[in-house]
Amino acid sequence: MKKSKPFLFCLFLLSILLSGAVFSQEKQVELKSPVIFKQKLAEATQLTNTIESTFNQEKSLSVLSEKILSKGKFYFKKKDMLRWEYTDPFKYLIILNNGKILIRDEEKENKFDARSNKVFEEINSILLGCVQGTLLNDEKKFQSSYFETSNIYLVKLRPRDPQLKNIFSEILIYFDKQDYSVSRLIMNEVSGDFTTIKFSGKKLNKPIPDEMFQVQ
């Protein structure tokens, strides 16, 4: 069956933004009180209105021997607004705003409505759920397991949804123990391809104008 353009775009978007292999070599132990962690995470996200951060991305494809390195700026603003701005080695922009998606590659620009397609809607939900921590509560779509090291909490999510299971084997979300913000977003693809994104220089609750997330 021929895949639709929206479906192919969703695969492309997730492979760019997320996915990956295990980062830290520090020993991970199973978290004894996931309920307490989730309560504290919920409290922290309630108090977080904006996030601004730089990110470094390392993409590994099975068809290439060298890894693709890039970096840029990430912005989040309540409610449901994300901006991924790649600055090096190429300029590329992705904005998600209340179910609408804009992609700008140099002079070319495309707009999509995530709610017009089930896969689009799932991608929108996953990206926002990772940042806001709400993905941890979706037991119908994911099976969760919780771990910790000396400075991070790690949540491993295995897809239960048949469509997601065909694409991804596992989603990993790393939370900083100091402020419960996401420090890494990782997703393992069934194909074996992976991407690693590490956030740094995070600024919480700093003013970010709505114009940064304009899709219209």
Side-chain angles (χ1 to χ4, degrees):
M1 180 180 296
K2 187 177 180 179
K3 292 184 174 65
S4 65
K5 289 183 179 180
F7 182 80
L8 292 174
F9 163 74
C10 288
L11 295 182
F12 169 72
L13 178 61
L14 269 179
S15 68
I16 287 180
L17 298 182
L18 305 174
S19 66
V22 176
F23 254 81
S24 176
Q25 298 300 318
E26 188 175 0
K27 184 178 179 181
Q28 301 167 2
V29 297
E30 190 170 358
L31 193 60
K32 295 181 180 179
S33 302
V35 174
I36 296 177
F37 160 71
K38 291 169 71 174
Q39 289 175 345
K40 291 184 177 180
L41 175 63
E43 293 171 0
T45 54
Q46 283 293 320
L47 297 174
T48 303
N49 295 311
T50 66
I51 302 173
E52 180 180 345
S53 174
T54 57
F55 69 85
N56 287 279
Q57 175 179 294
E58 185 177 289
K59 177 70 179 177
S60 293
L61 299 172
S62 56
V63 296
L64 297 176
S65 58
E66 295 184 359
K67 296 178 180 179
I68 303 172
L69 305 177
S70 56
K71 60 183 180 181
K73 295 278 290 185
F74 167 81
Y75 303 86
F76 163 77
K77 185 173 184 178
K78 281 186 178 177
K79 183 179 181 185
D80 297 346
M81 289 186 280
L82 292 175
R83 179 186 176 102
W84 297 81
E85 186 174 349
Y86 289 79
T87 57
D88 186 69
F90 54 84
K91 295 186 182 298
Y92 197 90
L93 177 65
I94 301 173
I95 296 177
L96 291 85
N97 189 336
N98 294 309
K100 297 185 182 298
I101 301 173
L102 177 146
I103 298 179
R104 184 180 299 146
D105 183 2
E106 298 298 339
E107 300 300 324
K108 187 177 180 181
E109 185 173 288
N110 293 293
K111 299 176 183 178
F112 306 87
D113 189 338
R115 290 163 291 195
S116 66
N117 180 278
K118 182 181 178 182
V119 180
F120 264 156
E121 195 170 15
E122 291 289 352
I123 299 309
N124 190 55
S125 176
I126 289 175
L127 293 176
L128 288 168
C130 286
V131 176
Q132 297 175 320
T134 55
L135 202 63
L136 281 56
N137 301 318
D138 199 339
E139 296 181 357
K140 291 183 178 180
K141 294 179 182 177
F142 299 98
Q143 178 183 358
S144 306
S145 54
Y146 300 84
F147 303 86
E148 66 176 330
T149 68
S150 61
N151 53 17
I152 61 98
Y153 293 108
L154 169 60
V155 181
K156 298 181 180 181
L157 302 174
R158 290 189 175 273
R160 284 175 168 162
D161 180 86
Q163 193 169 28
L164 293 175
K165 285 177 69 174
N166 288 334
I167 307 170
F168 312 110
S169 60
E170 191 175 51
I171 297 173
L172 293 85
I173 312 175
Y174 291 76
F175 294 91
D176 193 310
K177 277 191 171 182
Q178 293 186 341
D179 57 16
Y180 288 85
S181 64
V182 176
S183 59
R184 293 166 185 158
L185 286 177
I186 299 176
M187 185 176 290
N188 290 321
E189 300 177 31
V190 174
S191 66
D193 294 344
F194 65 87
T195 305
T196 297
I197 295 182
K198 181 178 180 181
F199 297 94
S200 60
K202 287 176 290 184
K203 299 177 183 178
L204 305 182
N205 294 326
K206 299 293 183 181
I208 302 177
D210 288 346
E211 289 73 19
M212 294 283 289
F213 308 93
Q214 188 172 355
V215 174
Q216 298 296 337

